[in-house]
């Protein structure tokens, strides 16, 4: 159950990222992204100053963030594989269901014809 919640939350995040990418077609959104990029550039200058002040501390922070990103990427990769597997399974089940429905339809047609023949025979017998 915990894994399903985790997969659900990750799916929501991935869907949000896809929506964010699509929203860049909207001019006000592009302008806001541009403004945020400028702010990020300023923050980068602040970061450069912080690195000069405490390079070892910043190195530890970057290593911790890198490990976290690596872990998340591995989780996303595993969950993507699980989603692909589920899609393959659903596709195969759909094919099997289609075949079963098709076979059942043929059997029902034969049964209908048999019932029709039986009804006609009963009518003939009653008529005699």
């Amino acid at each position: 159950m915990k894994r399903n919640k985790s997969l659900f939350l990750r799916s929501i995040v991935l869907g949000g990222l896809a929506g964010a990418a699509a929203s860049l077609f909207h001019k006000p959104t592009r302008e806001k992204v541009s403004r945020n990029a400028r702010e990020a550039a300023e923050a980068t200058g602040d970061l450069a100053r912080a690195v000069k002040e405490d390079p070892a501390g910043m190195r530890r922070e970057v290593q911790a963030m890198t490990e976290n990103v690596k872990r998340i990427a591995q989780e996303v990769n595993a969950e993507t594989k699980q989603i692909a597997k589920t899609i393959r399974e659903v596709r195969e089940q759909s094919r099997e269901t289609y075949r079963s429905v098709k076979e059942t339809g043929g059997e029902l047609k034969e049964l209908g014809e048999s019932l029709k023949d039986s009804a006609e025979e009963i009518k003939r017998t009653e008529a005699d």
Side-chain angles (χ1 to χ4, degrees), residues 1-13 75-76 79:
M1 180 97 176
K2 184 178 179 185
R3 181 160 175 83
N4 288 339
K5 286 182 182 178
S6 176
L7 177 61
F8 177 73
L9 291 175
R10 289 236 166 49
S11 298
I12 288 174
V13 170
E75 289 174 7
V76 168
E79 289 176 8

Side-chain angles (χ1 to χ4, degrees), residues 102-120:
K102 195 172 178 180
E103 289 172 9
T104 302
E107 291 170 2
L108 288 174
K109 183 178 178 184
E110 290 174 12
L111 179 60
E113 290 171 359
S114 176
L115 287 172
K116 184 179 175 184
D117 292 344
S118 295
E120 289 174 0

Side-chain angles (χ1 to χ4, degrees), residues 3 7 77-93:
R3 181 160 175 83
L7 177 61
N77 183 37
E79 289 176 8
T80 301
K81 287 179 181 178
Q82 181 60 38
I83 289 169
K85 178 182 175 191
T86 301
I87 289 170
R88 282 191 304 273
E89 290 171 354
V90 168
R91 187 180 300 141
E92 182 58 33
Q93 289 172 356

Side-chain angles (χ1 to χ4, degrees), residues 21-98:
S23 72
L24 291 177
F25 292 113
H26 186 246
K27 185 175 180 178
T29 303
R30 284 194 314 269
E31 290 170 349
K32 187 174 182 180
V33 168
S34 178
R35 193 170 42 253
N36 288 342
R38 282 190 298 277
E39 291 172 5
E42 292 173 12
T44 301
D46 295 341
L47 179 62
R49 283 186 288 284
V51 169
K52 285 181 183 179
E53 291 174 9
D54 184 15
M58 290 305 288
R59 189 182 93 239
R60 285 189 299 274
E61 277 188 51
V62 168
Q63 285 174 336
M65 285 190 276
T66 301
E67 288 300 316
N68 192 33
V69 167
K70 181 180 175 182
R71 181 186 52 77
I72 291 170
Q74 289 170 340
E75 289 174 7
V76 168
N77 183 37
E79 289 176 8
T80 301
K81 287 179 181 178
Q82 181 60 38
I83 289 169
K85 178 182 175 191
T86 301
I87 289 170
R88 282 191 304 273
E89 290 171 354
V90 168
R91 187 180 300 141
E92 182 58 33
Q93 289 172 356
S94 296
R95 288 180 186 140
E96 290 174 12
T97 301
Y98 175 77

